[in-house]
Structure formats: C-alpha cells, structure tokens
C-alpha cells in the first residue's frame, strides 16, 4: 500500500463513468476494411499473378504470331505478284510497237488485267506522258511511280477507301522491237487488293485473342487450385498459432509431404513442444514457490498469534518496566504486528494466485459500504466524502472493503490532507476515486505501483506497509471484472480510480 511522494508530473486524466465504450465504426467502414483485407490476401494475389502471367504470355505469343504470319503472307503475296507481273510483261512487251500509242498501252493493260492476270489485280501501263485508260478509284502512289521511273522494280502497301492494297511496278528494260536491252521508258503497275489477306490476319488475331482468353480462364482455375493447396496448410498454421496464443499448448499440426510447408509444420510442432515443456516447468516452479509461501505463511500464523497475544499483555505492563525494556517491548510489539500483517497479506495473495478466492457477490449499497469501511478504521473524520444518497450495486462486500481500505490508507499514509473520496454510478459501472493533496507520483513509478513488494520511496523500506496492498486491491478489482488506475491531478497529488461493473455475470457465487 505504498506510493511515495515525488515531483508533480504532467496530469493524466482519470476515467469517468460517463465515458462510454469507443464508438464502433460505421457498417460501410467495416465492410470497406473487410474488402481491403480480402483484396490484400494471398489468394487474390496468387490469382492476379497467375492470370497476369497467362494473359501477358498469351498476348505476347499472339502478337508475335500475328506479326510473323502477316509478314509472311504479305511477303509471299508481294513476291508472287512481282514475279507474275515480270513474267507476263516479258511475254507481252516484245510484241508492243515502239513507241507505243495510247491504244497499244490500253491493249497491253487489258491483256495484263484480264482473266489471265494474277487474281484480280488492276494494271496501268505508262510511257512518257501516255497512260493506259484507268477507271479505278485507287491511284498508284506517287512515291512508287518515282521509284519505278528511275529504273527499279518496287512495291508498296497502302490503304485506300478503307481497304488494304498492294501496288507493284516494273520498268521494261529493253526497247520493244530492238535488239539491245536497256531502259525503254515503258513502266507497268499492278494494284492488288489485300482484303483476303487482311481477313485471314483478322481471323488469326481473333483466334489468338480467344486462345488468350481461354489461357487466362485456365490460369485462374489453376491459380485457385494452387492457392487452395498452398493456403490450406498456411491457414491451418495460423489457426494453430492462434490456439497456441490462447494457451492451448498441446496444439500440433498434421505433417504431410516433404516440401517447404511440411518443414514449416515440423518446425512449428517442435517449437510448440519446446514451449509447452518450458511453460510447464515454469508453472511447476511457480506452483512450488506459491505453495512454499502459502505453507510458510500458514505455519507462521500460530506462533505469530501467540506472540501477538503475549505482546498485548506485556504492552499493558510496559509503563511499570524500565525505560529501555519498555522501548524494546514496544519495538517487538510493532514488528510483531507488522509481521502479522505481512503474513496475512501473503496468505491472501497466494489464495488469489491459486484461484482459491471465491467472489461472493450480493446486492449492497456502495455508499453505505464506503462509510462503514472508513468508520471501522477510524478514518471517517480524515476523509472528505462525495457520495450519492444511495447507490445499489452487486459486488462482494468483503473484497470491496479491502479495495477501499487499501486506496484510502495509501492516500493517508503517503499523501497529504485533505484526502477526497468520490463515488459515482454510471450506466454500466461504478467509479470510485481517491485523491490526495501530496506532490504526486513520479511518472517513472506509475507503471509499477501495483507490482508486488514495490515501494516507490526506496528510503522507506521498513515502512509499515508490506508492498502488497495495492497488488491485493488490483487483484480484487479484477475478480469483479474491474480495474484500478493511478495518475496525477493537475493541482498536485495522486488520484487512484476504481472502475467496477454494476454487477456480475451469471448467478451469485457461493
């Protein structure tokens, strides 16, 4: 029951009865959180990865196949058309008079464009400024004309009126009717529609897209299957880890296979066995220590009771004894009382640790219970009370008395007057605060105030407190489902706040 004075730290507000539980997030926020967790899970990531790899692979394969097939088809068509045009020109050009007239150019173009021509191409013959008749809406590209006029055979693919076309041109390299070969100025152009090739390329692209879609669907199915096979042991490992964290130390995983997940399961089982053995050893040592402390405390009660009775009798005759003897007698009497209190506290804390401290709850008036605790110890005039007229609650009156006595006694011994006690009843809990006017508690000491045998003022190691009072009070509060918190007030002094639920769950314990 010790809390030493110290410099006044920054204030820490005490909990209030009116403070309800933190508001729960809105339903749409909770759904959004669940959605984020689902999207961030391993299964969606595996699915996305598999589908992405399959889709990219199918897309790359389709693109390369489409490009290679289209290029091969167009090259074959171009080479075939150019060779066919050269062959037919070589057959028909020698019979053409030189220089050719407009009619002769028309006749040559008609012979090349007729049913004997390559598929359904359209042919244009030109000599100087003379051109064969041309009624087609598609014109020969000017760049191709310039190349062929310079004496080189060439080809060009282009689009016109929404259709793809192939244009090829060849110069006639010998003079018609003459014996010597050479440029004659006569050029022949053929325009071939590529609708059939384009249709074949589109069909190939559609097939590749269908294959890619099928690959993506197949990859999604394989991803789900793989995720199920991979995540099943991972999920089992997570469940086992949660069970282990809840104290189920006999939790083990079933090991199947010899892969990395099987090795992980073996490692988990080994860790769980080691942890179980270590904790069982620690529990055994702790149990032995508690049993030893309890046995010693019980064994000390009888001789201490006899010593206390003897010192009480001797105290009555102390005035008739010499001064030194009387002083020694009073010292022995005080130490016997202190030792008796320490033994009683040890017995109480050992019963709390062993779970052998039943909670006998009943309906009481908390305000009356507080007054009775203070009057029983003669503290009624030393404490300022702020109590309601009546506050019916359900709790264990003996343990509530222990809590209040420890908090008030701690404030009277280690704080400064005035000591103020306030009691309030909230909607679901009652709140009792004990505030003194001392210098407060050093911030470094606050986390340790409820530790056993802890004394904030190290110089008072022989104070009348045992160092167990606040620990016993905290354990009694926890038995009720409540808690005690320590803090400092802005104006100086320490404040201890007890928060207890109004009643106990279930029936009254006997």
């Amino acid at each position: 029951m010790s809390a030493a004075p110290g410099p006044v730290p920054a204030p820490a507000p005490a909990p209030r009865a009116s403070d309800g539980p933190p508001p729960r997030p809105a339903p749409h926020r909770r759904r959004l959180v669940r959605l984020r967790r689902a999207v961030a899970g391993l299964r969606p990531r595996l699915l996305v990865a598999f589908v992405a790899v399959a889709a990219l692979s199918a897309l790359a394969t389709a693109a390369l196949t489409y490009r290679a097939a289209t290029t091969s088809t167009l090259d074959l068509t171009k080479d075939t058309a150019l060779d066919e045009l050269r062959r037919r020109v070589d057959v028909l050009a020698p019979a053409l008079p030189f220089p050719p007239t407009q009619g002769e150019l028309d006749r040559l173009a008609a012979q090349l464009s007729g049913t004997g021509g390559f598929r359904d191409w359209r042919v244009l013959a030109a000599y100087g400024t003379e051109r064969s008749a041309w009624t087609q809406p598609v014109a020969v590209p000017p760049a191709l004309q310039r190349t062929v006029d310079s004496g080189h055979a060439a080809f060009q693919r282009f689009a016109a009126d929404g259709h793809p076309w192939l244009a090829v041109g060849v110069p006639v390299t010998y003079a018609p009717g003459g014996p010597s070969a050479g440029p004659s100025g006569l050029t022949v152009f053929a325009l071939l529609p590529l609708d059939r090739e384009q249709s074949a390329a589109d069909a190939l692209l559609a097939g590749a897209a269908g294959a890619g879609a099928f690959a993506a669907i197949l990859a999604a199915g394989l991803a789900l299957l793989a995720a199920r096979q991979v995540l099943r042991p991972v999920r089992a490992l997570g469940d086992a880890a949660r069970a282990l964290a809840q104290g189920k130390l006999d939790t083990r995983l079933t090991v199947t296979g010899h892969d990395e997940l099987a090795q992980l399961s073996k490692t988990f089982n080994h860790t769980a066995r080691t942890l179980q053995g270590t904790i069982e050893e620690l529990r055994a040592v702790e149990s032995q220590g508690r049993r030893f402390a309890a046995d010693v405390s019980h064994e000390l009660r009888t001789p201490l009771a006899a010593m206390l009775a003897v010192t009480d009798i001797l105290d009555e005759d102390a005035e008739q004894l010499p001064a030194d003897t009387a002083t020694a007698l009073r010292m022995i009497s005080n130490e016997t009382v202190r030792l008796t209190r320490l033994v009683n506290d040890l017995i109480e804390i050992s019963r709390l640790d062993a779970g052998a401290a039943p909670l006998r709850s009943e309906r009481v008036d908390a305000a009356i219970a507080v007054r009775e605790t203070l009057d029983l110890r003669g503290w009624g005039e030393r404490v300022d009370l702020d109590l309601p007229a009546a506050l019916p609650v359900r709790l264990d009156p003996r343990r509530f008395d222990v809590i209040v006595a420890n908090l008030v006694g701690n404030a009277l011994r280690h704080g400064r007057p005035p000591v103020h006690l306030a009691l309030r009843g909230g909607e679901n809990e009652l709140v009792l605060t004990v505030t003194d006017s001392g210098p407060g508690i050093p911030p470094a000491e606050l986390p340790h105030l409820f530790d056993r045998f802890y004394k904030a003022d190290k110089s008072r190691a022989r104070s009348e407190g045992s160092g167990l009072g606040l620990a016993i009070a905290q354990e009694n509060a926890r038995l009720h489902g409540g808690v005690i918190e320590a803090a400092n007030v802005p104006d100086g002094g320490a404040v201890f706040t007890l928060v207890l639920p109004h009643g106990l769950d279930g029936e009254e314990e006997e």
Side-chain angles (χ1 to χ4, degrees):
M1 298 186 296
S2 57
V8 180
R16 298 171 300 183
S18 58
D19 294 340
R24 299 183 63 187
H28 68 280
R29 300 266 319 258
R30 294 197 298 270
R31 288 194 294 268
L32 182 59
V33 170
R34 288 195 296 267
L35 178 60
R36 287 176 179 173
R37 290 177 179 173
V39 172
L42 186 57
R43 183 190 299 270
R45 283 185 284 175
L46 284 175
L47 181 61
V48 170
F50 269 75
V51 173
V53 170
L56 290 176
S57 301
L59 180 62
T61 302
L64 293 175
T65 302
Y66 174 77
R67 181 178 178 180
T70 302
T71 302
S72 177
T73 301
L74 292 177
D75 288 345
L76 178 62
T77 302
K78 177 259 299 182
D79 293 340
T80 304
L82 193 58
D83 291 344
E84 177 68 13
L85 182 62
R86 279 175 173 170
R87 186 185 65 79
R88 293 188 64 79
V89 167
D90 289 343
V91 171
L92 297 176
L96 186 68
F98 183 82
T101 63
Q102 176 71 41
E104 291 168 342
L105 291 177
D106 291 341
R107 185 166 51 255
L108 176 63
Q111 289 175 340
L112 293 174
S113 299
T115 57
F118 181 76
R119 283 173 45 183
D120 53 353
W121 62 15
R122 308 290 186 268
V123 177
L124 171 69
Y127 181 80
T129 59
E130 298 293 333
R131 297 285 188 275
S132 62
W134 186 256
T135 59
Q136 303 299 323
V138 180
V140 177
L144 179 65
Q145 294 185 32
R146 289 192 296 269
T147 301
V148 176
D149 289 342
S150 65
H152 301 284
F155 72 94
Q156 182 177 345
R157 291 194 296 269
F158 64 97
D161 295 335
H163 297 277
W165 291 83
L166 172 66
V168 295
V170 294
V172 178
T173 58
Y174 56 88
S180 61
S184 65
L186 176 65
T187 56
V188 179
F189 300 93
L191 274 70
L192 178 67
L194 298 178
D195 292 326
R196 186 164 61 184
E197 287 76 4
Q198 185 64 45
S199 298
D202 292 342
L204 178 63
L205 182 62
F214 175 76
I217 295 174
L218 181 61
L222 293 176
L224 291 175
L225 181 60
R228 181 179 180 184
Q229 296 297 325
V230 172
L231 294 182
R232 181 182 298 170
V234 173
R235 191 178 297 111
L237 180 61
D239 295 339
R242 281 189 292 270
L244 198 65
Q246 294 171 0
K248 301 176 181 178
L249 301 179
D250 58 344
T251 302
R252 299 292 184 272
L253 290 173
T254 302
V255 181
T256 56
H258 302 281
D259 56 5
E260 289 79 1
L261 291 174
Q263 294 299 323
L264 181 60
S265 299
K266 292 179 180 178
T267 303
F268 175 85
N269 291 339
H270 175 70
T271 304
R273 281 192 297 269
T274 304
L275 180 62
Q276 183 179 16
T278 302
I279 292 180
E280 288 177 351
E281 291 178 3
L282 292 175
R283 285 176 177 173
V285 172
E286 183 181 11
S287 177
Q288 291 175 1
R290 289 176 178 174
R291 187 161 50 250
F292 175 77
D295 293 343
V296 170
S297 300
H298 281 286
E299 291 298 327
L300 288 176
R301 294 186 80 174
T302 300
L304 282 175
M307 292 171 61
L308 193 59
V310 172
T311 55
D312 287 341
I313 295 174
L314 293 177
D315 281 340
E316 295 177 358
D317 299 331
E319 296 179 356
Q320 302 174 9
L321 298 175
D324 293 342
T325 304
T327 301
L329 179 61
R330 291 190 181 94
M331 183 182 299
I332 293 175
S333 178
N334 291 336
E335 290 300 318
T336 302
V337 172
R338 181 178 177 275
L339 184 57
T340 302
R341 184 181 297 113
L342 175 60
V343 169
N344 290 333
D345 287 346
L346 284 172
I347 292 174
E348 179 66 15
I349 203 75
S350 64
R351 294 177 72 242
L352 289 169
D353 288 341
L359 193 65
R360 295 182 173 87
S361 61
E362 58 185 69
R363 295 189 178 276
V364 298
D365 189 324
I368 295 177
V370 169
R371 288 192 180 92
E372 290 178 348
T373 296
L374 300 183
D375 293 340
L376 181 63
R377 291 161 178 82
W379 296 340
E381 301 297 330
R382 301 174 59 186
V383 180
D384 296 334
L385 297 178
D386 181 8
L387 305 177
L391 183 55
V393 293
R394 186 178 182 83
L395 47 76
D396 187 326
R398 187 185 74 83
R399 300 194 178 281
F400 184 68
D401 173 81
V402 171
I403 297 172
V404 175
N406 274 287
L407 296 182
V408 175
N410 186 77
L412 292 174
R413 282 192 298 272
H414 306 300
R416 294 176 186 171
V419 174
H420 181 76
L421 185 151
L423 182 66
R424 293 289 181 270
E427 183 177 349
N428 299 314
E429 60 192 13
L430 69 86
V431 179
L432 182 144
T433 58
V434 178
T435 309
D436 64 58
S437 302
I441 305 171
E445 309 293 345
L446 284 173
H448 307 288
L449 287 180
F450 299 98
D451 294 348
R452 298 174 184 182
F453 299 105
Y454 183 82
K455 295 183 180 181
D457 189 352
K458 302 299 187 295
S459 64
R460 289 205 316 271
R462 292 293 300 168
S463 64
E464 61 177 297
S466 64
L468 291 172
L470 289 178
I472 291 175
Q474 184 72 280
E475 292 298 329
N476 280 289
R478 288 172 180 167
L479 279 177
H480 285 85
V483 68
I484 303 174
E485 296 179 352
N488 291 304
V489 292
D491 298 333
V495 55
F496 287 82
T497 305
L498 167 68
V499 181
L500 294 182
H502 264 179
L504 299 175
D505 294 333
E507 297 296 329
E508 179 179 337
E509 296 185 28
E510 297 295 342

